[in-house]
């Protein structure tokens, strides 16, 4: 690593010579990465032709052209005329004699037991589970909920759903019943594959009772497949044992799909209303992830890829795809990262010879705070590190590089989001990397930093925006084009405005500066304030509620709520906080409990009675509140300041 003033990581000649992106540069007959980046934006059709060939993506029928933009920029159709099923690209290694016996998935449970499948075994199990789902009546286009801890079964299930042309609806393992029901009912899911429970820090977390409570509210859900730990379950009718389904006659071949056929609807929360069903397709998400795995993460065949991620968020499918689309070994872990102690992650690296290790900043901060234990495992096999999900400070970025990368392995900062599949900004290992920064926009993503009028900014904080449609962007929100357009395309007409603040330096280094909207990120998981506030307002003690995210050195952000009590409320603030925590735990899940509860007499509002969350957040955190011309009740700000002072 360089000893320069900024502690930039500097690539060696060998790093550059052996990088996947250098091979892609050579394939295109270009001089260097900067030429490739320019080429990707000037000739995206030729660029993606080369990427698809380089990554070995499998097509049943070749596509006719790069994109059909006849419906306008927000609604491109990628690779029209082609037919494919992306699962073929992930399982093609099973047909390669040099790869068939290579480990595809290694899954370690919290109790230390582990499962391992070769690519040949994974392909067989996916085909069998796909056959079982078809025998149950799950059809092409059906939506199927997936509520499982990471591991072999979740990997097989996810791939099998896509194999038959159905659509996965991932569900976070920490959700409460309302969050589960709202997502499955929103897309009229016909089936659910779920776990009855899992271990966290040596204690059993019961999922079955949660799902059972929700089933009575889901009339369209006809099939439930349980992955279980030997519990007594009445497997009859449309309630099936996961192992029974997995023992079915294998389906002959993956369904041929159009590139714009969905394979996943993953819900993410915005600032208002119900969760948004982000739609990802066979011809977009997998292409983007294969690209990013090769170009940004430098993954190649027989590498060992570990990035602990919940299957209920986009990272679960992203991580799985990063490994399998490149012929690497996917290492899964389904438990707490600090159990039985903070050495668990480094010991996993040592046990399986992990070459690529990813972590959310929240986990990195926890590891750093427990460094003597966290670094007990041998991490000398690590060649590249990844951090994503939220912002990271330079100190922890450098700590990660030193402690898990021996000071010589680069840390790839990676930012995108559920709605864009993979990276908008990231880094490549052929250029210097600044701590906590990104050394490039992702190739073929026309990223920019803009002001309120859409004008480009340099060395000034502005909105992260994308000037043209890009492979990986959501097809739309499930049955809600208007909300999709409002969310991304109408802030500055004709430009995708992502909702993040960014800074781009003269030298091309980018930095993320936080959210520009009211969305809250708790340990890397996005949640809309309206979703929290709706749950709080179910309590008769509460008349009004406002939820904000506040920066936190451990969690990244913590949830702070402001409550206006109802006239009948007779509880103390401490008692109300306890009631609120218990209620949110049951409805949304323990990870979404408020860290701080403030009781106030009024909330700052506009003249049209809209709660001004940004003003609340600004005043509470001591930053300029900005334009207050729309504020109807200035004395409310005094209460927010008083709350902040305590």
């Amino acid at each position: 690593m360089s000893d320069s003033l900024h502690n930039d990581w500097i690539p060696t000649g060998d790093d550059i010579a052996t990088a996947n992106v250098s091979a892609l540069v050579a394939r295109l007959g270009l001089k260097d990465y900067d030429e490739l980046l320019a080429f990707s934006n000037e000739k995206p059709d030729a660029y993606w032709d080369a990427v698809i060939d380089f990554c070995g993506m499998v097509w049943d029928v070749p596509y006719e052209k790069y994109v059909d933009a006849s419906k306008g920029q927000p609604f491109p159709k990628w690779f029209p005329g082609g037919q494919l099923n992306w699962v073929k690209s992930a399982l093609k290694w099973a047909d390669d004699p040099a790869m068939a016996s290579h480990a595809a998935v290694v899954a370690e449970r919290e109790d230390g037991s582990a499962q391992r499948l070769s690519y040949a075994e994974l392909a067989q199990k996916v085909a069998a589970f796909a056959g079982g789902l078809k025998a149950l009546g799950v059809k092409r286009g059906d939506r199927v909920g997936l509520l499982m801890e990471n591991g072999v079964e979740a990997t097989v299930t996810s791939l099998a759903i896509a194999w038959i042309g159905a659509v996965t609806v991932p569900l976070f393992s920490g959700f409460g019943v309302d969050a589960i029901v709202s997502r499955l009912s929103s897309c009229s899911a016909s089936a659910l594959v779920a776990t009855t429970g899992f271990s966290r820090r040596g204690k059993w977390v019961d999922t079955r009772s949660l799902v059972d409570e929700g089933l009575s509210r889901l009339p369209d859900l006809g099939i439930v497949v349980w992955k279980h730990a030997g519990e007594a379950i009445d497997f009859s009718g449309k309630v099936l044992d996961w192992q029974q389904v997995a023992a079915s006659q294998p389906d002959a071949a993956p369904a041929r799909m159009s590139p714009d056929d969905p394979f996943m609807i993953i819900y993410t929360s915005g600032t208002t209303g119900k969760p948004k069903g982000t739609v990802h397709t066979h011809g977009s998400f997998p292409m983007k992830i294969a690209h990013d795995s090769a170009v940004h993460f430098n993954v190649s065949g027989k590498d060992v890829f570990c990035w602990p991620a919940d299957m209920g968020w986009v990272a679960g499918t992203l991580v799985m795809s990063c490994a399998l689309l490149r012929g690497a070994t996917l290492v899964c872990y389904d438990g707490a990262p600090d159990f039985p102690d903070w050495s668990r992650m480094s010991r996993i690296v040592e046990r399986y010879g992990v070459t690529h290790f990813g972590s959310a900043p929240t986990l990195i901060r926890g590891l750093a705070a427990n460094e003597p234990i966290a670094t007990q495992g041998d991490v000398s096999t690590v060649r590249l590190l990844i951090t994503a999900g939220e912002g990271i400070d330079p100190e922890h970025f450098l700590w990660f590089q030193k402690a898990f990368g021996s000071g010589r392995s680069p840390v790839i900062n990676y930012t995108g989001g559920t709605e864009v599949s993979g990276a908008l900004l990231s880094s490549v290992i052929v250029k210097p990397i600044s701590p906590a920064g990104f050394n490039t926009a992702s190739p073929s993503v026309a990223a920019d930093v803009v002001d309120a009028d859409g004008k480009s900014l340099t060395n000034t904080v502005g909105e992260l925006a994308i000037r043209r449609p890009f492979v990986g962007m959501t097809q739309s929100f499930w049955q809600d084009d208007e909300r999709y357009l409002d969310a991304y395309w109408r802030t500055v007409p004709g430009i995708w405005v992502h909702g993040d603040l960014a800074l781009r330096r003269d030298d091309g280094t980018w930095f993320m500066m936080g959210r520009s909207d009211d969305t809250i990120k708790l340990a890397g998981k996005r949640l809309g304030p309206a979703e929290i506030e709706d749950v709080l307002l179910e309590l008769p003690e509460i008349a009004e509620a406002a939820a904000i995210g506040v920066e936190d050195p451990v969690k990244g952000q913590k949830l702070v709520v402001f409550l206006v009590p109802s006239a009948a409320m007779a509880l103390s603030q401490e008692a109300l906080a306890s009631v609120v925590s218990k209620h949110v735990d049951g409805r949304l899940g323990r990870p979404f409990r408020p860290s701080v509860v403030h009781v106030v007499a009024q909330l700052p509002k506009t003249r049209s009675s809209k709660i001004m969350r940004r003003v609340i957040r600004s005043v509470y955190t001591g930053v300029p509140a900005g334009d207050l011309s729309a504020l109807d009740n200035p004395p409310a700000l005094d209460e927010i300041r008083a709350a902040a002072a305590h």
Side-chain angles (χ1 to χ4, degrees):
M1 186 178 72
S2 167
D3 292 323
S4 69
L5 178 64
H6 298 293
N7 292 306
D8 286 2
W9 177 86
I10 306 296
T12 65
D14 188 58
D15 290 327
I16 296 171
T18 59
N20 285 328
V21 73
S22 295
L24 189 56
V25 167
R27 180 178 293 233
L28 287 165
L30 303 172
K31 182 178 69 175
D32 56 21
Y33 177 76
D34 289 339
E35 276 199 3
L36 178 137
L37 184 62
F39 180 88
S40 73
N41 285 297
E42 293 164 4
K43 299 181 178 180
D45 50 347
Y47 179 74
W48 277 100
D49 285 346
V51 167
I52 287 169
D53 183 54
F54 183 82
C55 293
M57 304 302 286
V58 178
W59 292 81
D60 294 311
V61 176
Y63 57 91
E64 296 170 359
K65 60 180 179 178
Y66 165 61
V67 65
D68 174 0
S70 60
K71 291 190 175 181
Q73 289 213 117
F75 301 105
K77 289 185 178 294
W78 303 108
F79 312 109
Q83 291 186 350
L84 78 165
N85 188 306
W86 84 266
V87 176
K88 275 192 167 184
S89 294
L91 299 181
K92 66 181 181 182
W93 315 102
D95 299 321
D96 181 346
M99 289 289 294
S101 61
H102 183 66
V105 184
V106 177
E108 181 170 300
R109 296 191 177 93
E110 193 179 71
D111 64 8
S113 62
Q115 288 178 277
R116 183 185 297 261
L117 290 181
S118 68
Y119 270 100
E121 291 167 332
L122 176 62
Q124 190 279 327
K125 285 189 174 292
V126 170
F129 201 82
L133 289 176
K134 286 181 76 172
L136 291 173
V138 180
K139 304 181 299 300
R140 179 190 187 111
D142 283 355
R143 277 75 67 199
V144 181
L146 177 65
L147 178 61
M148 300 179 79
E149 69 275 36
N150 214 338
V152 165
E153 293 90 347
T155 303
V156 168
T157 302
S158 179
L159 293 171
I161 293 169
W163 172 296
I164 64 175
V167 183
T168 303
V169 185
L171 300 165
F172 173 45
S173 57
F175 275 153
V177 64
D178 279 6
I180 293 170
V181 169
S182 68
R183 285 154 174 79
L184 294 178
S185 60
S186 173
C187 64
S188 302
S190 62
L192 170 67
V193 184
T195 181
T196 57
F198 50 89
S199 180
R200 276 294 181 277
R201 296 185 177 86
K203 296 181 179 179
W204 185 251
V205 177
D206 176 44
T207 305
R208 181 180 171 189
S209 60
L210 192 71
V211 174
D212 282 343
E213 183 182 346
L215 292 179
S216 62
R217 296 159 55 185
L218 294 166
D220 294 332
L221 198 66
I223 300 165
V224 180
V225 180
W226 286 112
K227 178 214 170 230
H228 63 103
E231 303 96 322
I233 300 174
D234 179 16
F235 290 119
S236 60
K238 293 189 175 181
V239 178
L240 282 298
D241 182 344
W242 193 94
Q243 294 294 345
Q244 177 187 342
V245 178
S248 301
Q249 185 70 26
D251 193 37
R256 284 191 177 188
M257 311 299 291
S258 164
D260 59 349
D261 281 335
F263 82 92
M264 178 169 65
I265 302 170
I266 185 161
Y267 282 86
T268 182
S269 295
T271 59
T272 59
K274 297 297 183 183
K276 302 170 294 189
T278 303
V279 179
H280 287 299
T281 64
H282 282 262
S284 186
F285 182 102
M287 303 297 164
K288 174 60 173 167
I289 301 308
H291 169 276
D292 288 6
S293 186
V295 169
H296 296 303
F297 302 154
N298 202 38
V299 179
S300 297
K302 298 191 177 180
D303 283 340
V304 182
F305 194 94
C306 178
W307 181 354
D310 195 290
M311 288 301 293
W313 302 109
V314 72
T317 304
L318 183 153
V319 169
M320 176 183 73
S321 305
C322 276
L324 300 183
L325 288 170
R326 297 293 296 153
T329 298
L330 171 67
V331 175
C332 304
Y333 173 60
D334 71 357
D338 59 350
F339 187 83
D341 58 45
W342 278 101
S343 71
R344 188 65 182 253
M345 293 292 96
S346 63
R347 296 203 184 280
I348 285 176
V349 170
E350 177 181 1
R351 243 187 311 278
Y352 304 111
V354 171
T355 59
H356 294 64
F357 181 69
S359 174
T362 298
L363 176 54
I364 293 170
R365 290 188 287 266
L367 293 166
N370 296 273
E371 181 173 357
I373 300 173
T375 56
Q376 286 180 354
D378 180 1
V379 295
S380 61
T381 57
V382 172
R383 299 201 313 272
L384 183 140
L385 297 160
I386 306 162
T387 182
E390 58 186 304
I392 186 169
D393 59 276
E395 292 76 16
H396 284 101
F397 185 99
L398 289 169
W399 179 89
F400 192 38
Q401 182 174 284
K402 178 182 177 183
F404 272 72
S406 305
R408 55 172 167 58
S409 300
V411 178
I412 303 299
N413 207 354
Y414 188 77
T415 189
T418 303
E419 303 90 332
V420 298
S421 304
L424 299 178
L425 309 175
S426 190
S427 290
V428 289
I429 68 165
V430 297
K431 297 182 66 176
I433 301 172
S434 295
F438 310 83
N439 67 16
T440 185
S442 193
S444 195
V445 175
D448 200 356
V449 178
V450 303
D451 65 13
D453 297 319
K455 295 178 181 177
S456 296
L457 300 171
T458 304
N459 295 321
T460 302
V461 175
E463 292 275 0
L464 177 63
I466 318 300
R467 292 197 172 273
R468 289 189 303 276
F470 52 97
V471 173
M473 60 185 273
T474 179
Q475 186 183 65
S476 184
F477 297 151
W478 180 253
Q479 297 181 341
D480 199 347
D481 288 348
E482 283 299 308
R483 194 173 177 203
Y484 162 65
L485 292 169
D486 284 342
Y488 295 109
W489 292 98
R490 287 174 173 160
T491 303
V492 180
I495 297 176
W496 175 295
V497 177
H498 195 56
D500 283 316
L501 298 174
L503 173 71
R504 178 179 48 197
R505 294 193 316 212
D506 283 328
D507 65 0
T509 299
W510 303 66
F511 294 92
M512 297 299 293
M513 310 301 290
R515 294 293 298 173
S516 62
D517 62 16
D518 295 330
T519 303
I520 300 164
K521 264 197 174 181
L522 302 175
K525 301 170 181 68
R526 286 177 59 185
L527 197 72
E531 193 169 4
I532 300 164
E533 292 158 6
D534 287 349
V535 169
L536 294 173
L537 291 172
E538 294 172 356
L539 294 169
E541 295 88 353
I542 298 172
E544 293 182 314
I548 64 170
V550 175
E551 298 305 308
D552 181 85
V554 175
K555 296 181 178 180
Q557 276 195 328
K558 63 182 178 182
L559 175 61
V560 177
V561 299
F562 297 83
L563 307 176
V564 176
S566 65
M569 207 276 283
L571 299 174
S572 67
Q573 180 161 330
E574 293 75 16
L576 180 61
S578 177
V579 169
V580 164
S581 290
K582 184 176 180 180
H583 185 66
V584 172
D585 193 349
R587 287 293 183 242
L588 294 177
R590 187 181 182 90
F592 306 112
R593 281 183 176 182
S595 295
V596 184
V597 174
H598 294 294
V599 176
V600 295
Q602 57 181 327
L603 296 170
K605 297 179 182 179
T606 65
R607 293 178 180 85
S608 59
S609 297
K610 182 178 180 181
I611 294 171
M612 301 179 75
R613 296 190 193 94
R614 290 195 204 185
V615 171
I616 294 173
R617 186 173 64 233
S618 297
V619 171
Y620 188 76
T621 57
V623 301
D627 181 14
L628 297 177
S629 60
L631 178 64
D632 191 44
N633 55 339
L637 300 186
D638 295 332
E639 294 206 55
I640 304 301
R641 293 187 186 98
H646 287 82

